Tab-separated table of all heavy atoms in Angstrom:
chain	number	residue	atom	x	y	z
A	201	ILE	N	-10.482	-4.279	5.540
A	201	ILE	CA	-9.514	-5.366	5.522
A	201	ILE	C	-8.501	-5.149	6.640
A	201	ILE	O	-7.910	-4.075	6.755
A	201	ILE	CB	-8.782	-5.439	4.173
A	201	ILE	CG1	-9.771	-5.647	3.028
A	201	ILE	CG2	-7.742	-6.554	4.186
A	201	ILE	CD1	-9.126	-5.582	1.653
A	202	TYR	N	-8.310	-6.175	7.444
A	202	TYR	CA	-7.267	-6.190	8.462
A	202	TYR	C	-6.296	-7.320	8.137
A	202	TYR	O	-6.678	-8.320	7.522
A	202	TYR	CB	-7.851	-6.445	9.858
A	202	TYR	CG	-8.777	-5.382	10.376
A	202	TYR	CD1	-10.117	-5.348	9.989
A	202	TYR	CD2	-8.332	-4.417	11.268
A	202	TYR	CE1	-10.980	-4.376	10.477
A	202	TYR	CE2	-9.190	-3.442	11.765
A	202	TYR	CZ	-10.509	-3.428	11.363
A	202	TYR	OH	-11.362	-2.464	11.841
A	203	THR	N	-5.056	-7.179	8.540
A	203	THR	CA	-4.100	-8.269	8.374
A	203	THR	C	-3.480	-8.602	9.731
A	203	THR	O	-3.294	-7.726	10.584
A	203	THR	CB	-2.978	-7.904	7.386
A	203	THR	OG1	-2.242	-6.785	7.881
A	203	THR	CG2	-3.549	-7.567	6.015
A	204	ARG	N	-3.180	-9.870	9.909
A	204	ARG	CA	-2.528	-10.326	11.137
A	204	ARG	C	-1.419	-11.292	10.755
A	204	ARG	O	-1.659	-12.288	10.070
A	204	ARG	CB	-3.526	-11.013	12.058
A	204	ARG	CG	-2.876	-11.627	13.312
A	204	ARG	CD	-3.899	-12.304	14.180
A	204	ARG	NE	-4.825	-11.330	14.753
A	204	ARG	CZ	-5.939	-11.663	15.406
A	204	ARG	NH1	-6.253	-12.935	15.542
A	204	ARG	NH2	-6.723	-10.723	15.897
A	205	ARG	N	-0.217	-10.998	11.196
A	205	ARG	CA	0.879	-11.888	10.856
A	205	ARG	C	0.820	-13.151	11.705
A	205	ARG	O	0.458	-13.109	12.889
A	205	ARG	CB	2.212	-11.179	11.001
A	205	ARG	CG	2.689	-10.907	12.399
A	205	ARG	CD	3.933	-10.045	12.330
A	205	ARG	NE	4.774	-10.190	13.501
A	205	ARG	CZ	5.963	-9.622	13.615
A	205	ARG	NH1	6.436	-8.890	12.618
A	205	ARG	NH2	6.688	-9.785	14.707
A	206	VAL	N	1.178	-14.265	11.093
A	206	VAL	CA	1.111	-15.559	11.755
A	206	VAL	C	2.506	-16.115	12.001
A	206	VAL	O	2.870	-16.445	13.121
A	206	VAL	CB	0.260	-16.554	10.925
A	206	VAL	CG1	0.255	-17.934	11.575
A	206	VAL	CG2	-1.172	-16.034	10.773
A	207	SER	N	3.313	-16.230	10.947
A	207	SER	CA	4.680	-16.735	11.099
A	207	SER	C	5.470	-16.387	9.847
A	207	SER	O	4.904	-16.052	8.810
A	207	SER	CB	4.688	-18.251	11.339
A	207	SER	OG	4.038	-18.934	10.274
A	208	GLY	N	6.794	-16.464	9.965
A	208	GLY	CA	7.655	-16.209	8.821
A	208	GLY	C	8.610	-15.056	9.046
A	208	GLY	O	8.900	-14.660	10.178
A	209	GLU	N	9.100	-14.493	7.948
A	209	GLU	CA	10.122	-13.448	7.964
A	209	GLU	C	9.464	-12.083	7.769
A	209	GLU	O	8.961	-11.774	6.689
A	209	GLU	CB	11.132	-13.717	6.847
A	209	GLU	CG	12.278	-12.741	6.766
A	209	GLU	CD	13.212	-13.073	5.614
A	209	GLU	OE1	13.665	-14.240	5.535
A	209	GLU	OE2	13.462	-12.185	4.789
A	210	PHE	N	9.480	-11.254	8.815
A	210	PHE	CA	8.830	-9.947	8.782
A	210	PHE	C	9.841	-8.845	9.093
A	210	PHE	O	10.766	-9.045	9.884
A	210	PHE	CB	7.686	-9.879	9.797
A	210	PHE	CG	6.528	-10.790	9.472
A	210	PHE	CD1	6.496	-12.077	9.968
A	210	PHE	CD2	5.496	-10.358	8.665
A	210	PHE	CE1	5.442	-12.931	9.675
A	210	PHE	CE2	4.440	-11.198	8.364
A	210	PHE	CZ	4.414	-12.492	8.863
A	211	ASP	N	9.620	-7.685	8.467
A	211	ASP	CA	10.493	-6.537	8.715
A	211	ASP	C	10.127	-5.829	10.007
A	211	ASP	O	10.983	-5.328	10.731
A	211	ASP	CB	10.416	-5.546	7.562
A	211	ASP	CG	10.974	-6.123	6.271
A	211	ASP	OD1	11.856	-6.995	6.361
A	211	ASP	OD2	10.519	-5.707	5.190
A	212	GLU	N	8.796	-5.759	10.311
A	212	GLU	CA	8.363	-4.996	11.471
A	212	GLU	C	8.565	-5.790	12.755
A	212	GLU	O	8.473	-7.010	12.775
A	212	GLU	CB	6.876	-4.626	11.359
A	212	GLU	CG	6.480	-3.987	10.051
A	212	GLU	CD	5.894	-5.007	9.091
A	212	GLU	OE1	6.252	-6.202	9.220
A	212	GLU	OE2	5.111	-4.616	8.233
A	213	ALA	N	8.825	-5.072	13.840
A	213	ALA	CA	8.859	-5.702	15.160
A	213	ALA	C	7.441	-6.118	15.535
A	213	ALA	O	6.464	-5.506	15.091
A	213	ALA	CB	9.404	-4.721	16.187
A	214	PRO	N	7.283	-7.149	16.372
A	214	PRO	CA	5.937	-7.622	16.721
A	214	PRO	C	5.036	-6.537	17.283
A	214	PRO	O	3.872	-6.440	16.913
A	214	PRO	CB	6.219	-8.718	17.761
A	214	PRO	CG	7.591	-9.202	17.428
A	214	PRO	CD	8.340	-7.989	16.938
A	215	LYS	N	5.565	-5.677	18.175
A	215	LYS	CA	4.732	-4.636	18.768
A	215	LYS	C	4.237	-3.664	17.709
A	215	LYS	O	3.078	-3.253	17.708
A	215	LYS	CB	5.525	-3.894	19.847
A	215	LYS	CG	4.698	-2.873	20.616
A	215	LYS	CD	5.511	-2.247	21.744
A	215	LYS	CE	4.672	-1.234	22.520
A	215	LYS	NZ	5.449	-0.624	23.632
A	216	GLU	N	5.124	-3.301	16.780
A	216	GLU	CA	4.744	-2.390	15.703
A	216	GLU	C	3.701	-3.033	14.810
A	216	GLU	O	2.730	-2.392	14.399
A	216	GLU	CB	5.976	-2.012	14.881
A	216	GLU	CG	5.665	-1.123	13.680
A	216	GLU	CD	6.876	-0.923	12.781
A	216	GLU	OE1	7.981	-1.338	13.180
A	216	GLU	OE2	6.691	-0.367	11.690
A	217	ALA	N	3.876	-4.304	14.515
A	217	ALA	CA	2.948	-4.995	13.640
A	217	ALA	C	1.550	-5.036	14.240
A	217	ALA	O	0.546	-4.862	13.542
A	217	ALA	CB	3.442	-6.417	13.369
A	218	GLU	N	1.443	-5.257	15.552
A	218	GLU	CA	0.144	-5.296	16.192
A	218	GLU	C	-0.527	-3.925	16.151
A	218	GLU	O	-1.730	-3.807	15.978
A	218	GLU	CB	0.295	-5.776	17.638
A	218	GLU	CG	0.608	-7.256	17.742
A	218	GLU	CD	-0.482	-8.103	17.102
A	218	GLU	OE1	-1.658	-7.962	17.493
A	218	GLU	OE2	-0.163	-8.885	16.200
A	219	ALA	N	0.254	-2.853	16.314
A	219	ALA	CA	-0.307	-1.504	16.243
A	219	ALA	C	-0.818	-1.203	14.846
A	219	ALA	O	-1.883	-0.617	14.657
A	219	ALA	CB	0.746	-0.471	16.661
A	220	GLU	N	-0.061	-1.611	13.840
A	220	GLU	CA	-0.474	-1.374	12.458
A	220	GLU	C	-1.769	-2.098	12.134
A	220	GLU	O	-2.570	-1.634	11.323
A	220	GLU	CB	0.628	-1.841	11.500
A	220	GLU	CG	1.918	-1.047	11.580
A	220	GLU	CD	1.778	0.337	10.968
A	220	GLU	OE1	0.693	0.665	10.465
A	220	GLU	OE2	2.758	1.096	11.036
A	221	ARG	N	-1.997	-3.250	12.762
A	221	ARG	CA	-3.174	-4.053	12.466
A	221	ARG	C	-4.461	-3.312	12.807
A	221	ARG	O	-5.523	-3.617	12.274
A	221	ARG	CB	-3.089	-5.363	13.261
A	221	ARG	CG	-4.179	-6.350	12.945
A	221	ARG	CD	-3.855	-7.712	13.548
A	221	ARG	NE	-3.735	-7.659	14.987
A	221	ARG	CZ	-4.772	-7.816	15.824
A	221	ARG	NH1	-5.979	-8.005	15.337
A	221	ARG	NH2	-4.588	-7.776	17.122
A	222	GLU	N	-4.370	-2.330	13.700
A	222	GLU	CA	-5.570	-1.602	14.110
A	222	GLU	C	-5.998	-0.569	13.075
A	222	GLU	O	-7.028	0.071	13.241
A	222	GLU	CB	-5.320	-0.929	15.464
A	222	GLU	CG	-4.971	-1.911	16.578
A	222	GLU	CD	-6.005	-3.010	16.728
A	222	GLU	OE1	-7.215	-2.693	16.662
A	222	GLU	OE2	-5.617	-4.175	16.899
A	223	ARG	N	-5.192	-0.356	12.020
A	223	ARG	CA	-5.561	0.586	10.967
A	223	ARG	C	-6.022	-0.211	9.757
A	223	ARG	O	-5.215	-0.745	9.003
A	223	ARG	CB	-4.368	1.450	10.575
A	223	ARG	CG	-3.902	2.410	11.656
A	223	ARG	CD	-2.756	3.257	11.129
A	223	ARG	NE	-2.316	4.233	12.111
A	223	ARG	CZ	-1.330	5.094	11.891
A	223	ARG	NH1	-0.691	5.087	10.732
A	223	ARG	NH2	-0.974	5.961	12.822
A	224	PRO	N	-7.323	-0.299	9.526
A	224	PRO	CA	-7.809	-1.132	8.424
A	224	PRO	C	-7.720	-0.432	7.077
A	224	PRO	O	-7.552	0.787	6.989
A	224	PRO	CB	-9.266	-1.380	8.801
A	224	PRO	CG	-9.662	-0.122	9.529
A	224	PRO	CD	-8.416	0.276	10.311
A	225	ILE	N	-7.833	-1.222	6.029
A	225	ILE	CA	-7.987	-0.725	4.663
A	225	ILE	C	-9.481	-0.772	4.336
A	225	ILE	O	-10.157	-1.747	4.659
A	225	ILE	CB	-7.218	-1.612	3.677
A	225	ILE	CG1	-5.730	-1.605	4.007
A	225	ILE	CG2	-7.443	-1.181	2.239
A	225	ILE	CD1	-4.966	-2.693	3.305
A	226	THR	N	-9.999	0.260	3.709
A	226	THR	CA	-11.387	0.265	3.248
A	226	THR	C	-11.405	0.023	1.749
A	226	THR	O	-10.655	0.661	1.007
A	226	THR	CB	-12.083	1.604	3.567
A	226	THR	OG1	-11.989	1.854	4.981
A	226	THR	CG2	-13.547	1.564	3.176
A	227	ILE	N	-12.247	-0.911	1.317
A	227	ILE	CA	-12.309	-1.262	-0.097
A	227	ILE	C	-13.762	-1.278	-0.555
A	227	ILE	O	-14.663	-1.688	0.180
A	227	ILE	CB	-11.621	-2.620	-0.356
A	227	ILE	CG1	-11.443	-2.854	-1.851
A	227	ILE	CG2	-12.359	-3.768	0.312
A	227	ILE	CD1	-10.444	-3.931	-2.183
A	228	TRP	N	-14.003	-0.760	-1.775
A	228	TRP	CA	-15.323	-0.702	-2.383
A	228	TRP	C	-15.387	-1.761	-3.498
A	228	TRP	O	-14.579	-1.730	-4.432
A	228	TRP	CB	-15.582	0.675	-2.976
A	228	TRP	CG	-15.865	1.769	-1.994
A	228	TRP	CD1	-17.073	2.340	-1.728
A	228	TRP	CD2	-14.919	2.477	-1.156
A	228	TRP	NE1	-16.954	3.334	-0.787
A	228	TRP	CE2	-15.644	3.442	-0.416
A	228	TRP	CE3	-13.544	2.363	-0.961
A	228	TRP	CZ2	-15.030	4.299	0.498
A	228	TRP	CZ3	-12.926	3.208	-0.043
A	228	TRP	CH2	-13.656	4.160	0.671
A	229	LEU	N	-16.326	-2.701	-3.398
A	229	LEU	CA	-16.464	-3.790	-4.361
A	229	LEU	C	-17.712	-3.551	-5.203
A	229	LEU	O	-18.835	-3.486	-4.686
A	229	LEU	CB	-16.559	-5.136	-3.639
A	229	LEU	CG	-15.371	-5.472	-2.730
A	229	LEU	CD1	-15.671	-6.704	-1.898
A	229	LEU	CD2	-14.113	-5.676	-3.557
A	230	ALA	N	-17.521	-3.421	-6.520
A	230	ALA	CA	-18.608	-3.023	-7.418
A	230	ALA	C	-18.797	-4.024	-8.548
A	230	ALA	O	-17.922	-4.854	-8.818
A	230	ALA	CB	-18.316	-1.635	-8.000
A	231	ARG	N	-19.949	-3.926	-9.219
A	231	ARG	CA	-20.208	-4.720	-10.422
A	231	ARG	C	-19.947	-3.838	-11.653
A	231	ARG	O	-20.351	-2.683	-11.705
A	231	ARG	CB	-21.648	-5.218	-10.448
A	231	ARG	CG	-21.970	-6.224	-9.348
A	231	ARG	CD	-23.331	-6.875	-9.615
A	231	ARG	NE	-23.635	-7.874	-8.614
A	231	ARG	CZ	-24.386	-7.651	-7.530
A	231	ARG	NH1	-24.903	-6.448	-7.326
A	231	ARG	NH2	-24.622	-8.613	-6.673
A	232	PHE	N	-19.292	-4.436	-12.657
A	232	PHE	CA	-19.012	-3.727	-13.898
A	232	PHE	C	-19.559	-4.465	-15.117
A	232	PHE	O	-19.405	-3.997	-16.240
A	232	PHE	CB	-17.498	-3.522	-14.069
A	232	PHE	CG	-16.905	-2.606	-13.036
A	232	PHE	CD1	-16.379	-3.119	-11.861
A	232	PHE	CD2	-16.882	-1.232	-13.222
A	232	PHE	CE1	-15.825	-2.294	-10.902
A	232	PHE	CE2	-16.343	-0.396	-12.270
A	232	PHE	CZ	-15.811	-0.920	-11.100
A	233	ASP	N	-20.143	-5.641	-14.909
A	233	ASP	CA	-20.717	-6.404	-16.020
A	233	ASP	C	-22.052	-6.982	-15.561
A	233	ASP	O	-22.586	-6.598	-14.525
A	233	ASP	CB	-19.747	-7.491	-16.504
A	233	ASP	CG	-19.307	-8.428	-15.383
A	233	ASP	OD1	-20.041	-8.539	-14.363
A	233	ASP	OD2	-18.232	-9.045	-15.508
Side-chain angles (χ1 to χ4, degrees):
I201 301 174
Y202 296 82
T203 62
R204 175 181 293 170
R205 73 187 205 174
V206 177
S207 58
E209 182 181 307
F210 293 91
D211 294 332
E212 310 97 333
K215 185 176 181 180
E216 177 188 351
E218 287 301 304
E220 294 287 359
R221 186 168 61 88
E222 300 306 318
R223 293 183 177 180
I225 299 166
T226 304
I227 191 163
W228 286 255
L229 302 171
R231 294 191 178 96
F232 294 92
D233 55 23

